[in-house]
Amino acid sequence: MTSFFKTTVAASAMALVASSAFAAEITYVSGAVGNAVEDFKKIVAPWEAKTGHTVKLVPMPASTTDQFGQYRLWLAAGNGDIDLYQTDVIWAPQLADHFVDMSEKAGELMKEHFPSIVESQTVDGKLVALPLFTDAPALYYRKDLLEKHGASVPTTWEELTATAKAVQDAERAAGNNDIWGFVWQGNAYEGLTCDALEWVKSSGGGQIVEPDGTISINNEKAAAALELAATWPGNISPEGVLAYQEEEARGVWQTGNAVFMRNWPYAYGLGNSDDSAVKGLFGVTTLPTGQGHDTSAATLGGWNVAVSKYGDNQDAAIDLALYLAGAEAQKTRSLIASNLPTIVSLYEDADIAREQPIIPQWKDVFLQAVPRPSAPTREKYNEVSTLFFSAVHSVISGNAAAKDALANLEDDLDDLLN
Ligand code: GLC
């Protein structure tokens, strides 16, 4: 072999190695609320620099319900183009078969995480996805407006209804015509399941399907909670709230046009950003309770990363998943996106406490948060949730009485589950 030939062969072999093993492009699909796309670039940059791989983010529709539908199609078709899926906390049992078991690879790392969160991603002993961040909502309130009108932070839904109306009316009388009392998520999608579970559970009406599988939703307390919420659209909330998801609520809030908002912690950092009209003007507290009840209920949310069984770059994808679930990436995410970490020690981190004080303050809130019934209903959860949010949506739109909607819902759930 001539030396020229040898060099060429060696060079092209190296190029091949570089383009396959050493320089993979990992495709990551994820919902993209807030600044998620920009934030993700910052979070993965150190991993890209260290490994020489690149990461392509494919943003998904904001609605968790729509994302789930798309993921299910791709996974059923064995799509090889997607390496990593960002998955909602409720999906593990439904999608488990399509993902790589991470229990051995992430065993050590998982010891740093809250055990309950790791447990939520474990299906029949298989670790389906690695936790990225957890979620539990807050009641956001405008300190300046409450003070101006001599109002206090409400602790019950009834007080919230009255205070939102009083402050809204007083502001409008003073010429602030765009102001609304309360913005939240009223669209018929997974987010409404979260909001309505909170109204019902905090009023003593149970959690739709109980952990032992009992269908509990058809009860008077649940009906009363939904009837109260049905008074909000067009009164303390815009009519359009019936189509709002997280981002629409945040849009109204962050332009200064709402007294109260129900939203997840991601809205905290964005609300305090330089281009926010409410920077420094708001506080956060736990959601109200139903009158006569003393426990507030926050729905447990959160996001994870799962490695596709069908992806073309499995080794690099596993490495990236481990990086994203690790302390370096979780800390960056907490600092720039005010997402709640799932690594226990980050709740003691001084930088996080200084930059995003909601995070240490929210540790107990998420630890006590109420799970949606995805564990007892397993692969049927998506249908359970769809039946629930559809029934709730018919009530809050004024198309059905809560009593009737819940009686029908009970029958439908019974047909589906029993
Ligand atoms: C948040 C939660 C997620 C939930 C979704 C509903 O993203 O983290 O668990 O399903 O909101 O809109």
Side-chain angles (χ1 to χ4, degrees):
M1 218 187 265
T2 65
S3 70
F4 166 76
F5 188 60
K6 266 195 220 155
T7 321
T8 314
V9 169
S12 50
M14 275 172 64
L16 193 70
V17 168
S19 68
S20 53
F22 289 137
E25 183 184 65
I26 304 298
T27 302
Y28 183 99
V29 292
S30 162
V33 297
N35 280 346
V37 176
E38 285 308 303
D39 291 346
F40 187 72
K41 284 189 193 145
K42 293 182 193 148
I43 294 168
V44 296
W47 182 83
E48 291 178 316
K50 193 174 69 190
T51 61
H53 301 314
T54 51
V55 187
K56 185 172 92 189
L57 178 74
V58 178
M60 300 301 298
S63 156
T64 270
T65 305
D66 295 344
Q67 277 172 53
F68 183 72
Q70 180 61 64
Y71 283 14
R72 215 154 45 170
L73 292 176
W74 278 333
L75 289 165
N79 187 327
D81 297 336
I82 298 159
D83 300 298
L84 292 168
Y85 288 81
Q86 186 163 309
T87 58
D88 201 330
V89 65
I90 49 184
W91 295 341
Q94 298 164 88
L95 300 179
D97 289 348
H98 301 287
F99 296 135
V100 171
D101 182 2
M102 294 293 287
S103 34
E104 278 187 21
K105 296 174 184 74
E108 277 305 304
L109 174 61
M110 289 303 103
K111 292 182 186 154
E112 297 173 31
H113 292 244
F114 288 96
S116 59
I117 298 177
V118 178
E119 180 60 28
S120 75
Q121 298 309 301
T122 307
V123 177
D124 300 330
K126 169 175 175 176
L127 182 58
V128 173
L130 305 183
L132 298 173
F133 65 96
T134 185
D135 240 354
L139 179 69
Y140 289 75
Y141 60 91
R142 284 284 297 278
K143 288 191 284 198
D144 56 331
L145 295 181
L146 294 187
E147 199 173 306
K148 177 172 165 194
H149 298 287
S152 44
V153 179
T155 59
T156 66
W157 293 109
E158 289 77 4
E159 272 170 33
L160 173 115
T161 308
T163 305
K165 180 86 171 93
V167 175
Q168 173 187 294
D169 288 353
E171 279 294 299
R172 287 190 187 171
N176 184 0
N177 291 320
D178 293 332
I179 196 83
W180 285 100
F182 183 36
V183 288
W184 42 283
Q185 294 75 39
N187 194 345
Y189 79 123
E190 185 62 31
L192 180 57
T193 291
C194 299
D195 285 47
L197 172 61
E198 288 154 5
W199 312 329
V200 168
K201 176 76 178 174
S202 66
S203 306
Q207 44 200 84
I208 314 168
V209 178
E210 302 306 304
D212 70 359
T214 312
I215 299 166
S216 64
I217 188 62
N218 186 17
N219 68 77
E220 278 174 16
K221 288 172 179 165
L226 298 191
E227 290 295 357
L228 178 63
T231 68
W232 297 338
N235 181 24
I236 58 169
S237 311
E239 284 290 352
V241 79
L242 296 167
Y244 279 13
Q245 299 180 10
E246 285 78 3
E247 285 291 81
E248 287 78 21
R250 187 174 69 84
V252 175
W253 165 259
Q254 214 170 295
T255 46
N257 292 327
V259 185
F260 298 108
M261 171 175 73
R262 182 264 180 217
N263 219 327
W264 306 94
Y266 86 99
Y268 185 92
L270 292 166
N272 279 322
S273 61
D274 287 338
D275 62 359
S276 165
V278 297
K279 181 179 178 181
L281 297 179
F282 66 91
V284 285
T285 186
T286 49
L287 295 175
T289 64
Q291 206 135 44
H293 295 273
D294 48 17
T295 352
S296 157
T299 298
L300 180 66
W303 291 86
N304 309 276
V305 59
V307 181
S308 170
K309 271 189 183 168
Y310 319 113
D312 295 330
N313 303 298
Q314 227 178 74
D315 290 343
I318 289 171
D319 194 62
L320 176 56
L322 291 167
Y323 177 77
L324 290 171
E328 180 181 3
Q330 285 215 355
K331 179 166 175 174
T332 305
R333 181 187 284 287
S334 298
L335 290 173
I336 64 180
S338 62
N339 290 149
L340 303 175
T342 62
I343 292 185
V344 182
S345 62
L346 292 177
Y347 287 83
E348 311 291 325
D349 186 284
D351 300 329
I352 293 177
R354 190 185 58 246
E355 292 297 315
Q356 305 289 4
I358 190 177
I359 291 179
Q361 209 186 329
W362 238 243
K363 181 178 170 191
D364 289 338
V365 179
F366 93 75
L367 284 174
Q368 287 159 33
V370 182
R372 283 160 276 175
S374 54
T377 64
R378 293 179 65 100
E379 57 288 332
K380 292 187 176 149
Y381 173 74
N382 193 51
E383 285 161 275
V384 169
S385 178
T386 302
L387 288 170
F388 178 64
F389 68 62
S390 305
V392 172
H393 198 262
S394 71
V395 175
I396 61 176
S397 322
N399 294 328
K403 193 163 91 2
D404 303 334
L406 293 185
N408 290 335
L409 174 62
E410 181 181 42
D411 287 346
D412 291 344
L413 289 175
D414 195 40
D415 288 345
L416 176 68
L417 299 173
N418 297 322

